[in-house]
Amino acid sequence: MKNHQLLLGVNIDHVATLRQARYRDTGRVAGGFVEPDPLYAALIAEQAGADCITIHPREDQRHIQRKDLYRLRQSLQTRLNMEMACTQEMAEFAAEIHPDSVCLVPENRTEVTTEGGLDVVGQFERVRETVESMIAEGIKVSLFIDPDEEQIDCAAELNADMVELHTGAFANHYYDVQGRLELEKLVAAAIQGHELSLTVNAGHGINYVNISKILEIPHLHELNIGHSIVSRAIYFGLDEAVREMKSRMQL
Ligand code: PXP
């Protein structure tokens, strides 16, 4: 089964990572000139063909700040997808920002980036509360989960709109024999999700090389890609980086 019109969500967290590396205390040291600006990056990504802008305001605000969200919400022309932990505080913040969608992710203070999928099976009640509060706000809900049968069943049971399949294990094993097995798990999970009427997205660790194998996964609707696009932007500019990824996503 081929993917048609596979959409691209550009994750701009790492634009903010770079900004925070220098301007953690922006008001005092930089006046109005603080670079790079995630909003400016988001607008360039949209111009280059991004279908959605994804951000993850983490509890420790290590990259995206809450004030970035207000500016993004006002100015984006496409969609805003907010990744968030399943906490009351984040649910309240999401209700205020009202992104087009939220993607519920696990959050562990010590991790550098999101390491595993959300354990919907193990934290069913907690996830249910957040899913229900987001649905009540009219915000679409995605669950970032490992390609695991039970997790997908639970996502459907919770009436989530979407799942985002965690492609990190596949990306980590891309150059060894386990990579093929990880890809098979993603294929099976995508088929199962589709059969359960879930919209199937994917993300984490997708880059300009492994994207060709990601395209073997059926029923994909949208990919969320951050690190590789922001990295390539350092060499060739963000506009070119987004266009190149979009072109490699075409079948
Ligand atoms: N999707 C989710 C749910 C994530 O947590 C991340 C990492 O922030 C991404 C996609 C993007 O991953 P990467 O930066 O490796 O492309």
Side-chain angles (χ1 to χ4, degrees):
M1 166 98 189
K2 296 279 184 193
N3 297 305
H4 294 286
Q5 284 192 321
L6 182 55
L7 304 179
L8 173 63
V10 175
N11 182 315
I12 56 164
D13 288 345
H14 292 312
V15 176
T17 303
L18 190 55
R19 176 191 63 190
Q20 296 305 105
R22 172 55 51 95
Y23 295 119
R24 199 160 283 280
D25 196 1
T26 53
R28 275 199 297 130
V29 299
F33 187 68
V34 177
E35 61 184 2
D37 182 353
L39 172 58
Y40 192 36
L43 297 177
I44 292 171
E46 285 187 328
Q47 285 291 314
D51 301 287
C52 174
I53 300 298
T54 292
I55 35 77
H56 182 182
R58 298 182 77 102
E59 195 190 357
D60 62 8
Q61 298 199 63
R62 70 178 70 156
H63 37 54
I64 288 288
Q65 310 288 294
R66 291 192 175 203
K67 64 182 182 230
D68 293 323
L69 266 296
Y70 295 105
R71 296 172 68 229
L72 286 160
R73 177 70 293 189
Q74 276 191 341
S75 306
L76 292 187
Q77 302 293 310
T78 58
R79 283 176 288 118
L80 177 64
N81 174 44
M82 185 174 120
E83 296 172 2
M84 59 178 251
C86 278
T87 63
Q88 172 79 18
E89 192 192 343
M90 287 313 299
E92 282 168 14
F93 184 54
E96 189 187 338
I97 294 291
H98 218 278
D100 297 275
S101 57
V102 291
C103 180
L104 305 185
V105 300
E107 201 173 294
N108 163 359
R109 270 166 198 261
T110 55
E111 68 191 5
V112 175
T113 181
T114 313
E115 278 160 10
L118 183 68
D119 182 9
V120 189
V121 180
Q123 301 181 3
F124 193 80
E125 283 311 316
R126 187 171 164 191
V127 179
R128 184 214 293 271
E129 248 178 59
T130 312
V131 170
E132 287 180 352
S133 71
M134 293 297 95
I135 291 175
E137 291 291 335
I139 300 170
K140 283 198 182 310
V141 183
S142 178
L143 303 178
F144 182 54
I145 53 175
D146 291 326
D148 173 273
E149 201 177 325
E150 267 190 282
Q151 299 289 347
I152 293 163
D153 279 339
C154 278
E157 201 179 324
L158 286 176
N159 287 323
D161 301 279
M162 303 170 266
V163 285
E164 179 171 329
L165 299 177
H166 193 321
T167 47
F170 157 77
N172 288 341
H173 290 285
Y174 185 72
Y175 292 103
D176 65 55
V177 287
Q178 205 186 317
R180 175 50 52 187
L181 294 177
E182 297 299 338
L183 187 62
E184 282 165 13
K185 285 189 211 167
L186 290 162
V187 169
I191 292 170
Q192 183 193 352
H194 178 73
E195 281 170 357
L196 291 168
S197 301
L198 290 159
T199 296
V200 181
N201 300 330
H204 201 98
I206 300 175
N207 61 32
Y208 293 84
V209 176
N210 65 29
I211 181 68
S212 62
K213 292 275 175 231
I214 291 287
L215 298 183
E216 292 181 17
I217 304 169
H219 309 300
L220 286 179
H221 174 69
E222 188 160 75
L223 302 179
N224 280 304
I225 308 180
H227 186 271
S228 67
I229 290 178
V230 173
S231 299
R232 182 162 290 224
I234 290 171
Y235 306 136
F236 303 113
L238 186 56
D239 182 274
E240 171 62 25
V242 172
R243 285 180 201 279
E244 178 64 21
M245 185 57 84
K246 282 284 281 194
S247 108
R248 291 189 192 208
M249 284 166 57
Q250 305 309 313
L251 290 163

Coordinates of all heavy atoms in Angstrom, one line a residue, residues 17-64:
T17 N 16.3 25.4 21.3 CA 17.5 24.8 22.0 C 18.7 25.7 21.7 O 19.4 26.1 22.7 CB 17.8 23.4 21.5 OG1 16.7 22.6 21.7 CG2 19.0 22.8 22.3
L18 N 18.9 26.1 20.5 CA 20.0 26.9 20.1 C 19.9 28.3 20.7 O 20.8 28.9 21.3 CB 20.1 27.0 18.6 CG 21.3 27.6 17.9 CD1 22.6 27.0 18.4 CD2 21.2 27.5 16.4
R19 N 18.7 28.9 20.7 CA 18.5 30.2 21.3 C 18.8 30.1 22.8 O 19.5 31.0 23.3 CB 17.0 30.6 21.1 CG 16.7 31.9 21.8 CD 15.2 32.2 21.8 NE 14.5 31.1 22.6 CZ 13.1 31.0 22.6 NH1 12.4 31.8 21.9 NH2 12.6 30.0 23.4
Q20 N 18.3 29.1 23.5 CA 18.5 29.0 24.9 C 19.9 28.8 25.3 O 20.3 29.2 26.4 CB 17.6 27.9 25.5 CG 16.1 28.0 25.4 CD 15.6 29.3 25.9 OE1 15.2 30.3 25.2 NE2 15.5 29.4 27.2
A21 N 20.7 28.3 24.4 CA 22.1 28.1 24.6 C 22.8 29.4 24.9 O 23.8 29.5 25.6 CB 22.8 27.3 23.5
R22 N 22.3 30.5 24.3 CA 23.0 31.8 24.5 C 22.1 32.7 25.3 O 22.5 33.4 26.2 CB 23.3 32.4 23.1 CG 23.7 33.8 23.2 CD 24.9 34.1 24.1 NE 26.0 33.2 23.9 CZ 27.1 33.4 23.1 NH1 27.2 34.6 22.5 NH2 28.1 32.5 23.0
Y23 N 20.8 32.7 25.0 CA 19.9 33.7 25.6 C 18.9 33.2 26.6 O 17.7 33.4 26.5 CB 19.1 34.4 24.5 CG 20.0 35.2 23.5 CD1 20.1 34.9 22.2 CD2 20.7 36.3 24.0 CE1 20.9 35.6 21.3 CE2 21.6 37.0 23.1 CZ 21.6 36.6 21.8 OH 22.4 37.3 20.9
R24 N 19.4 32.4 27.6 CA 18.5 31.9 28.6 C 17.8 33.0 29.4 O 16.7 33.0 29.7 CB 19.3 31.0 29.6 CG 18.5 30.1 30.3 CD 19.3 28.9 30.9 NE 19.7 27.9 29.9 CZ 18.8 27.0 29.5 NH1 17.7 26.9 30.0 NH2 19.2 26.2 28.5
D25 N 18.6 34.1 29.6 CA 18.1 35.2 30.3 C 17.8 36.4 29.4 O 18.5 37.4 29.4 CB 19.1 35.6 31.4 CG 18.4 36.5 32.5 OD1 17.2 36.8 32.4 OD2 19.1 36.9 33.4
T26 N 16.9 36.2 28.5 CA 16.8 37.1 27.3 C 16.6 38.6 27.7 O 17.3 39.5 27.1 CB 15.6 36.7 26.4 OG1 14.5 36.6 27.3 CG2 15.9 35.4 25.8
G27 N 15.7 38.9 28.6 CA 15.4 40.3 28.8 C 16.6 41.1 29.2 O 16.8 42.2 28.7
R28 N 17.5 40.6 30.0 CA 18.6 41.4 30.5 C 19.7 41.5 29.4 O 20.3 42.6 29.3 CB 19.2 40.8 31.7 CG 18.4 41.2 33.0 CD 19.2 41.0 34.2 NE 19.5 39.6 34.4 CZ 20.7 39.1 34.7 NH1 21.8 39.9 34.8 NH2 20.9 37.8 34.9
V29 N 20.0 40.5 28.7 CA 21.2 40.5 27.8 C 21.0 40.9 26.4 O 21.9 41.4 25.7 CB 22.0 39.2 27.9 CG1 22.4 38.9 29.3 CG2 21.1 38.1 27.3
A30 N 19.8 40.8 25.9 CA 19.6 40.9 24.4 C 18.6 41.9 24.0 O 18.4 42.1 22.8 CB 19.3 39.6 23.8
G31 N 17.9 42.6 24.9 CA 16.9 43.5 24.4 C 15.9 42.7 23.5 O 15.5 41.6 23.8
G32 N 15.6 43.3 22.4 CA 14.6 42.6 21.5 C 15.3 41.7 20.5 O 14.7 40.9 19.8
F33 N 16.7 41.7 20.5 CA 17.3 40.9 19.5 C 17.8 39.6 20.0 O 18.9 39.4 20.6 CB 18.5 41.7 18.9 CG 19.1 41.0 17.7 CD1 18.4 40.8 16.5 CD2 20.4 40.4 17.8 CE1 19.0 40.2 15.4 CE2 20.9 39.7 16.7 CZ 20.2 39.6 15.5
V34 N 16.9 38.6 19.8 CA 17.2 37.3 20.4 C 17.1 36.3 19.2 O 16.1 36.2 18.6 CB 16.2 36.9 21.5 CG1 16.4 35.5 22.0 CG2 16.3 37.9 22.6
E35 N 18.2 35.6 19.0 CA 18.2 34.7 17.8 C 18.7 33.3 18.2 O 19.5 33.2 19.2 CB 19.0 35.2 16.6 CG 20.4 35.4 17.0 CD 21.3 36.1 15.9 OE1 20.7 36.4 14.9 OE2 22.5 36.2 16.1
P36 N 18.3 32.2 17.5 CA 17.3 32.2 16.4 C 15.9 32.2 17.0 O 15.7 31.7 18.2 CB 17.5 30.9 15.7 CG 18.2 30.0 16.7 CD 18.9 30.9 17.6
D37 N 14.9 32.8 16.3 CA 13.6 32.9 16.8 C 12.7 31.7 16.3 O 12.6 31.6 15.0 CB 13.0 34.3 16.3 CG 11.6 34.5 16.8 OD1 11.0 33.6 17.4 OD2 11.1 35.6 16.6
P38 N 12.2 30.9 17.1 CA 11.4 29.8 16.6 C 10.2 30.2 15.8 O 9.8 29.5 14.9 CB 10.9 29.1 17.9 CG 11.8 29.6 19.0 CD 12.3 30.9 18.6
L39 N 9.6 31.3 16.1 CA 8.5 31.8 15.2 C 8.9 32.1 13.8 O 8.3 31.7 12.9 CB 7.8 33.0 15.9 CG 6.7 33.7 15.0 CD1 5.6 32.7 14.6 CD2 6.1 34.9 15.7
Y40 N 10.0 32.8 13.7 CA 10.6 33.1 12.4 C 10.9 31.8 11.6 O 10.5 31.6 10.4 CB 11.8 34.0 12.5 CG 12.3 34.6 11.3 CD1 11.4 35.1 10.3 CD2 13.7 34.8 11.0 CE1 11.9 35.7 9.1 CE2 14.2 35.4 9.9 CZ 13.3 35.8 8.9 OH 13.8 36.4 7.8
A41 N 11.5 30.8 12.3 CA 11.8 29.5 11.7 C 10.5 28.8 11.3 O 10.4 28.3 10.2 CB 12.5 28.7 12.7
A42 N 9.5 28.9 12.1 CA 8.2 28.2 11.8 C 7.6 28.8 10.5 O 7.1 28.1 9.7 CB 7.2 28.4 13.0
L43 N 7.7 30.2 10.4 CA 7.1 30.8 9.2 C 7.9 30.4 8.0 O 7.3 30.2 6.9 CB 7.1 32.3 9.4 CG 6.2 32.8 10.6 CD1 6.3 34.3 10.8 CD2 4.8 32.4 10.4
I44 N 9.2 30.3 8.1 CA 10.0 29.9 6.9 C 9.6 28.4 6.6 O 9.5 28.1 5.4 CB 11.5 30.0 7.2 CG1 11.9 31.5 7.3 CG2 12.4 29.3 6.2 CD1 13.3 31.7 7.8
A45 N 9.5 27.6 7.6 CA 9.2 26.2 7.3 C 7.8 26.1 6.6 O 7.6 25.3 5.7 CB 9.1 25.4 8.7
E46 N 6.9 26.9 7.1 CA 5.5 26.9 6.4 C 5.7 27.3 4.9 O 5.1 26.7 4.1 CB 4.6 27.9 7.1 CG 4.1 27.3 8.4 CD 3.0 28.2 9.0 OE1 3.0 29.5 8.8 OE2 2.1 27.7 9.7
Q47 N 6.4 28.4 4.7 CA 6.6 28.8 3.3 C 7.3 27.8 2.5 O 7.0 27.7 1.3 CB 7.6 30.1 3.3 CG 6.9 31.3 3.8 CD 5.9 31.8 2.8 OE1 6.1 31.9 1.6 NE2 4.7 32.2 3.3
A48 N 8.1 26.9 3.1 CA 8.8 25.9 2.3 C 8.0 24.6 2.2 O 8.4 23.7 1.5 CB 10.1 25.5 3.0
G49 N 6.8 24.6 2.8 CA 5.9 23.5 2.5 C 5.5 22.6 3.7 O 4.9 21.6 3.6
A50 N 6.0 23.1 4.9 CA 5.6 22.3 6.1 C 4.0 22.4 6.2 O 3.4 23.4 6.0 CB 6.2 22.9 7.4
D51 N 3.4 21.2 6.6 CA 2.0 21.2 6.7 C 1.5 21.5 8.1 O 0.3 21.6 8.4 CB 1.5 19.8 6.3 CG 1.9 19.5 4.9 OD1 1.3 20.0 4.0 OD2 2.9 18.7 4.7
C52 N 2.5 21.5 9.1 CA 2.2 21.6 10.5 C 3.4 22.0 11.2 O 4.5 21.7 10.7 CB 1.7 20.3 11.0 SG 1.4 20.1 12.7
I53 N 3.3 22.7 12.3 CA 4.5 23.0 13.1 C 4.2 22.3 14.5 O 3.2 22.5 15.1 CB 4.6 24.6 13.4 CG1 4.8 25.3 12.0 CG2 5.8 24.9 14.3 CD1 6.1 24.9 11.2
T54 N 5.3 21.6 14.9 CA 5.2 20.8 16.1 C 6.1 21.4 17.1 O 7.3 21.7 16.8 CB 5.5 19.3 15.8 OG1 4.4 18.8 15.0 CG2 5.6 18.5 17.1
I55 N 5.7 21.5 18.4 CA 6.5 22.0 19.5 C 6.2 21.2 20.7 O 5.1 20.7 20.9 CB 6.4 23.5 19.8 CG1 4.9 23.9 19.6 CG2 7.3 24.3 18.9 CD1 4.0 23.6 20.6
H56 N 7.2 21.1 21.6 CA 7.1 20.4 22.8 C 7.5 21.2 24.0 O 8.7 21.3 24.4 CB 7.9 19.1 22.8 CG 7.8 18.2 24.0 ND1 8.5 17.1 24.2 CD2 7.0 18.4 25.1 CE1 8.2 16.5 25.3 NE2 7.3 17.3 25.9
P57 N 6.6 22.0 24.6 CA 6.9 22.8 25.7 C 7.1 21.8 26.9 O 6.1 21.3 27.4 CB 5.7 23.7 26.0 CG 4.6 23.0 25.3 CD 5.1 22.2 24.2
R58 N 8.4 21.6 27.3 CA 8.6 20.6 28.4 C 8.4 21.3 29.7 O 8.5 22.6 29.8 CB 10.1 20.1 28.2 CG 10.3 19.3 27.0 CD 11.7 18.7 26.9 NE 11.8 17.6 27.8 CZ 11.8 16.3 27.3 NH1 11.7 16.1 26.0 NH2 11.9 15.3 28.1
E59 N 8.3 20.5 30.7 CA 8.0 21.1 32.0 C 9.2 22.0 32.5 O 8.9 23.0 33.1 CB 7.9 19.9 33.0 CG 7.3 20.3 34.3 CD 7.4 19.1 35.3 OE1 7.9 18.0 35.0 OE2 7.1 19.4 36.5
D60 N 10.4 21.6 32.1 CA 11.5 22.5 32.5 C 11.8 23.6 31.6 O 12.8 24.3 31.7 CB 12.8 21.6 32.7 CG 13.2 20.9 31.4 OD1 12.7 21.2 30.4 OD2 14.2 20.1 31.5
Q61 N 11.0 23.7 30.5 CA 11.2 24.8 29.5 C 12.6 24.9 29.0 O 13.1 26.0 28.8 CB 10.7 26.1 30.0 CG 9.2 26.1 30.4 CD 8.6 27.5 30.5 OE1 8.5 28.2 29.5 NE2 8.2 27.8 31.7
R62 N 13.2 23.7 28.7 CA 14.6 23.8 28.3 C 14.8 24.3 26.9 O 15.9 24.8 26.5 CB 15.2 22.4 28.4 CG 14.7 21.4 27.4 CD 15.4 20.1 27.4 NE 15.0 19.4 28.6 CZ 15.1 18.0 28.7 NH1 15.5 17.3 27.7 NH2 14.7 17.4 29.8
H63 N 13.8 24.2 26.1 CA 13.9 24.9 24.7 C 12.7 25.8 24.5 O 12.8 27.0 24.6 CB 14.1 23.8 23.6 CG 13.4 22.5 23.7 ND1 12.1 22.4 23.8 CD2 13.9 21.2 23.6 CE1 11.7 21.1 23.9 NE2 12.8 20.4 23.8
I64 N 11.6 25.2 24.0 CA 10.4 26.1 23.8 C 9.9 26.6 25.1 O 9.7 25.9 26.1 CB 9.3 25.2 23.1 CG1 9.7 25.0 21.6 CG2 7.9 25.9 23.2 CD1 9.6 26.1 20.7

